[in-house]
Amino acid sequence: MAALLGIVSPVTFTGKHPVNSRSRRRTVVKCSNERRILFNRIAPVYDNLNDLLSLGQHRIWKNMAVSWSGAKKGDYVLDLCCGSGDLAFLLSEKVGSTGKVMGLDFSSEQLAVAATRQSLKARSCYKCIEWIEGDAIDLPFDDCEFDAVTMGYGLRNVVDRLRAMKEMYRVLKPGSRVSILDFNKSNQSVTTFMQGWMIDNVVVPVATVYDLAKEYEYLKYSINGYLTGEELETLALEAGFSSACHYEISGGFMGNLVAMR
Ligand SMILES: C/C(=C\Cc1cc(O)c2ccccc2c1O)CCC[C@H](C)CCC[C@H](C)CCCC(C)C
Ligand SMILES: C[S@@+](CC[C@H](N)C(=O)[O-])C[C@H]1O[C@@H](n2cnc3c(N)ncnc32)[C@H](O)[C@@H]1O
């Protein structure tokens, strides 16, 4: 489970000397691949389980994240860790057919679902979306390209979060925003307890029906290994953003970081 968790401490020590960067690199690559496999495996049922398990609320949270990004008509925007495309479709409705949306993910199966969903949509704005298979920590884009960046339930799953944050900073135009939605690692013990209880007693039992118990058990461990809102703000400032604010939503179950370059 630890491998699936891919929880890699910033510096891994054995004995007196830090493990060399080559072994750390190997660990990062291995953990990253474990996660890619996880999201490939859940791709066929991902959207339906999100709707069922959040009672459709996740669509509200994603709408909020896209609104916070500041994306507007005619913009060129990026949705990182786009998965099956939920935030990319919402962004395309904001930028319209005169804008452009890039959806990037390293799961080929998630991108295949996104492309299929796009092919079934009639509105012209959805035609402005392009899907790219790539890694959030090494973006295939130039500096200062995008008017907005979104990341829905992605940063918690990225092994090197600071590197991903620095890449988001690099590809954003000065004065533009990144909006990062995810579970909230709450400081309130009641919220943490309720989050964990829901995952243990609702989410995982339902996922078990689809033989995905292990994949959804990862959720709880990944939230435990995530950053608090305050730590996310600090991470954004460390990556170079001029300002950062983390908003708790849905009773503290979820959170959204907004940072400006
Ligand atoms: C859209 C949501 C989660 C996306 C998601 C993120 C991940 O990192 C995963 C990792 C492994 C497997 C699946 C995912 C994954 O789906 C949030 C909503 C879906 C959640 C699965 C449901 C979580 C339930 C909450 C703990 C409680 C919701 C209360 C609400 C007010 C009804
Ligand atoms: C929980 S899904 C979120 C999908 C979508 N943003 C949403 O909100 O529904 C997390 C996504 O992040 C992708 N991902 C995780 N680490 C990544 C990385 N380093 N580079 C690119 N994609 C990554 C996974 O493949 C998966 O599709």
Side-chain angles (χ1 to χ4, degrees), residues 39 46 62 81-83 87 105-107 110 134-136 152-153 157:
F39 288 105
Y46 174 77
K62 291 172 180 177
C81 301
C82 65
L87 279 90
D105 201 294
F106 71 1
S107 162
Q110 290 279 350
D135 196 322
Y153 298 96
N157 296 301

Side-chain angles (χ1 to χ4, degrees), residues 47-77:
D47 290 326
N48 291 338
L49 282 186
N50 282 342
D51 280 323
L52 174 65
L53 294 166
S54 72
L55 307 176
Q57 298 291 297
H58 74 106
R59 298 192 179 284
I60 297 170
W61 307 329
K62 291 172 180 177
N63 253 301
M64 293 168 75
V66 167
S67 295
W68 265 315
S69 76
K72 64 189 183 299
K73 198 157 286 308
D75 278 355
Y76 181 37
V77 299

Side-chain angles (χ1 to χ4, degrees), residues 96-240:
S97 47
T98 59
K100 176 99 177 141
V101 180
M102 304 302 284
L104 180 139
D105 201 294
F106 71 1
S107 162
S108 55
E109 295 304 314
Q110 290 279 350
L111 288 172
V113 171
T116 301
R117 291 174 72 192
Q118 181 183 27
S119 68
L120 299 173
K121 290 179 181 286
R123 282 176 63 180
S124 59
C125 65
Y126 298 127
K127 298 188 185 343
C128 78
I129 308 172
E130 188 177 328
W131 311 106
I132 293 188
E133 190 170 339
D135 196 322
I137 63 172
D138 186 16
L139 297 177
F141 305 113
D142 292 336
D143 297 359
C144 308
E145 270 205 62
F146 294 102
D147 298 296
V149 173
T150 56
M151 198 180 207
Y153 298 96
L155 189 62
R156 174 173 40 88
N157 296 301
V158 173
V159 178
D160 190 335
R161 295 166 185 152
L162 178 59
R163 206 165 146 197
M165 195 66 86
K166 285 180 174 177
E167 277 291 86
M168 287 182 260
Y169 175 84
R170 179 179 68 78
V171 302
L172 266 172
K173 290 177 182 176
S176 297
R177 275 175 281 181
V178 62
S179 179
I180 301 173
L181 168 67
D182 218 312
F183 284 89
N184 177 40
K185 182 178 182 179
S186 178
N187 293 317
Q188 301 299 313
S189 54
V190 173
T191 307
T192 306
F193 172 79
M194 286 170 61
Q195 221 175 33
W197 189 91
M198 287 285 288
I199 293 172
D200 291 343
N201 297 283
V202 178
V203 174
V204 172
V206 170
T208 303
V209 171
Y210 300 88
D211 191 25
L212 292 170
K214 280 242 168 296
E215 286 77 4
Y216 279 77
E217 279 168 1
Y218 159 78
L219 256 181
K220 185 173 169 185
Y221 291 100
S222 66
I223 296 167
N224 289 343
Y226 196 35
L227 301 173
T228 64
E230 199 173 327
E231 289 166 337
L232 286 167
E233 291 172 347
T234 303
L235 185 76
L237 299 178
E238 189 181 342

